Structure formats: structure tokens, C-alpha cells
Amino acid sequence: MSDDSTTTNLSLVSIPEVPDSVDNAMHNLTDAPTKSMGQTLSSIWDLVFGPINHAADKRRIKYAIDLEQYRAQLTQSIEQIPEEKKIEPDIQVAAQALENSKYCISSDILRKMFVNLISGSMNSDTQSLAHPAFPEILKQLSPDDALLLKDIYFSNQPSLPIAKVGLNANNGGHTMFYDNLFVPNELDFSCTKCLLSLSSLERANLISISYNSWRTDDSAYDKLRHTPEYLEIEKISTSFQASPPYFSKGILQLTALGRVFCSICIGKR
């Protein structure tokens, strides 16, 4: 009797309906991304993302919507390529990009960068810039890394000011507090928030940081001397000694790889 009762109770549980808009989005995903994307890319898309199971997708609605937006953005980007310049994508780049992008499509900026990379590989003007290493580099960037890289790229400066900051010691040495104090050009990131992303971008060889060279105009470093991080160290330094904080000037630059990566994955402003 207890078994029958349990069965009856479970049968009364209703499964909420998925909104029509989501059902439509999921239905679109089962279609080829559109003929304008090209048969080669459409085939790779199906291979990477596979058929969409409606029952499973009800538990993954957010991902399904993000995937539909990705498909729409990619289609639109490819349609903007002039017909005389539209070519079949390099399968080595496109297949890796689609495979790696499925871990990143919920980030607006990473999704857009993958769109630019794939569509760039289908444009005769930019296909030579779409290096097979780029999908792997892009997969390893966080959204914050990508935003900071975009800020550096759009600064249009050959080099940007960066500094090591710490406390001077009485014996002539110093105690380091910040290895790379940096202020973005337009992005509202604190220096502390930038630290990890700078390390990530440097590890990917997209930027280089050097303290063997520096900007000759000392005023370029004024914004670093007005950050909360520097002012806090200055306050500590004043409390214990008369000397100012340790401040070593350096420069940050895009590498040759970084410039090409940005030109195709970020593009024009």
C-alpha cells in the first residue's frame, strides 16, 4: 500500500512549462546556423554542439539562450563580410574556436571575441591573422582579462606607465607591496583588481612588462601616485619615516602576438 501511495503522489507533481520563447530558441539551435555561415562551419557547429535535447535543455535554459545569442551574433558578423571577400574558414581555427567557445559563451565579451575570430577566419582580408593558437589563448582568458586587454588595445599608446611600489628600508633596501601598479585608461578597475589579469595576459604573451625602460615624461606616472594603493603606502611611509614610498617606473606594451590577437579578436572600436 505504501508503494502505491508513493506512486500516486509522484504522479501529481507537475513539470512547469518552458516559455515559448525558450522553446523557439532551442528549436533554432537544432537547425543549421544558417546557410550564409557556410556548409563547412555549419558542419563543425553541429559536431561541436551536437543536437539539442529539449528535456535536458529545460535544466539548462540559460545556456540555451546564450547559445542562441551566440549563433545569432556569429551569423550577423558573417553576413557583414562582403561577398567577394567571404571564404570558407580554416577548419583548424574554426573547429578549435567553436570547441573552446562553448565554455565561454555566457560572457558577453568572450563570446564577441570568439565571434570576431571565427568570422575573421572567413574574411580573405583577415584570414591570415587568425592563428590556430588564438582559440586556446582566448579560452584561458577570464572576462576581466579580456576587458583589460581591450582597454590596453584601445588606448592606442605604444607604451603605458606601470610601477613597482613599496616601502623603503633604512638599510637601503625596500619591501615590495605591489609588483605591477597599473591604472586602465577607461576601464573602472582598481589597481588591485588589475594585478591578476596583468599576470594572466603576460603569461599568454599578449603583453610585456619591463622595468628596464620607462616613460621619459614623469607626469605619465602621476595617476599611479594618486591611486588608493599608493596613497595608503605613502601614509604608512610617512608614519614611520620621512622618505617617500619606493617607486620604480616601468612600461607595459602589447607584444607583437598581442597586437595581432587584438586586431582580429577585438577589432575596431
Side-chain angles (χ1 to χ4, degrees):
M1 292 296 291
S2 60
D3 289 344
D4 291 341
S5 175
T6 300
T7 301
T8 301
N9 290 338
L10 288 175
S11 67
L12 295 176
V13 177
S14 61
I15 305 298
E17 292 293 325
V18 175
D20 290 341
S21 60
V22 175
D23 263 338
N24 291 336
M26 292 187 290
H27 174 71
N28 290 339
L29 294 178
T30 63
D31 298 332
T34 69
K35 292 181 180 179
S36 63
M37 289 176 66
Q39 186 57 47
T40 300
L41 186 61
S42 178
S43 299
I44 301 172
W45 178 282
D46 290 340
L47 181 64
V48 171
F49 293 105
I52 300 300
N53 181 289
H54 280 234
D57 245 47
K58 289 180 181 180
R59 297 187 297 273
R60 300 166 58 205
I61 292 176
K62 176 63 166 64
Y63 186 86
I65 294 174
D66 290 338
L67 185 56
E68 170 64 10
Q69 187 173 7
Y70 182 30
R71 183 198 66 82
Q73 289 176 334
L74 183 55
T75 298
Q76 182 181 26
S77 183
I78 293 171
E79 287 176 343
Q80 291 174 351
I81 302 173
E83 286 299 324
E84 67 275 12
K85 297 182 178 181
K86 194 176 296 183
I87 56 178
E88 286 295 306
D90 182 326
I91 191 169
Q92 186 180 13
V93 174
Q96 285 192 83
L98 288 176
E99 174 65 29
N100 291 343
S101 67
K102 66 184 180 183
Y103 305 107
C104 307
I105 63 171
S106 293
S107 164
D108 290 340
I109 185 166
L110 293 178
R111 182 173 64 239
K112 177 60 176 174
M113 290 173 74
F114 271 111
V115 165
N116 290 342
L117 176 58
I118 295 169
S119 59
S121 74
M122 299 179 68
N123 188 325
S124 59
D125 286 347
T126 55
Q127 187 184 47
S128 62
L129 303 177
H131 195 278
F134 289 173
E136 188 65 24
I137 293 174
L138 190 47
K139 183 188 75 171
Q140 296 182 42
L141 299 184
S142 73
D144 284 350
D145 297 345
L147 287 169
L148 185 57
L149 180 64
K150 181 179 178 180
D151 185 273
I152 294 169
Y153 180 56
F154 283 161
S155 72
N156 293 318
Q157 297 292 319
S159 65
L160 295 168
I162 196 167
K164 293 178 180 288
V165 180
L167 288 175
N168 284 305
N170 294 330
N171 61 5
H174 58 267
T175 301
M176 193 69 64
F177 276 64
Y178 296 99
D179 285 331
N180 293 311
L181 197 68
F182 178 73
V183 176
N185 187 45
E186 298 178 357
L187 193 63
D188 187 20
F189 274 14
S190 68
C191 295
T192 304
K193 188 173 184 179
C194 288
L195 288 173
L196 183 59
S197 288
L198 288 174
S199 296
S200 175
L201 296 175
E202 189 175 30
R203 179 183 62 83
N205 196 29
L206 298 177
I207 64 170
S208 66
I209 297 173
S210 172
Y211 289 93
N212 294 321
S213 303
W214 52 86
R215 295 277 293 267
T216 55
D217 52 328
D218 186 70
S219 61
Y221 296 88
D222 285 348
K223 60 182 180 179
L224 299 179
R225 297 186 180 101
H226 288 88
T227 60
E229 292 83 359
Y230 179 87
L231 293 175
E232 181 63 24
I233 295 174
E234 186 176 50
K235 182 179 179 181
I236 296 172
S237 181
T238 303
S239 300
F240 291 94
Q241 56 194 35
S243 63
Y246 172 80
F247 190 86
S248 177
K249 296 185 291 186
I251 55 172
L252 180 155
Q253 297 175 298
L254 286 171
T255 63
L257 178 70
R259 287 192 295 271
V260 175
F261 180 86
C262 289
S263 69
I264 192 164
C265 294
I266 296 176
K268 299 179 180 179
R269 186 186 290 271

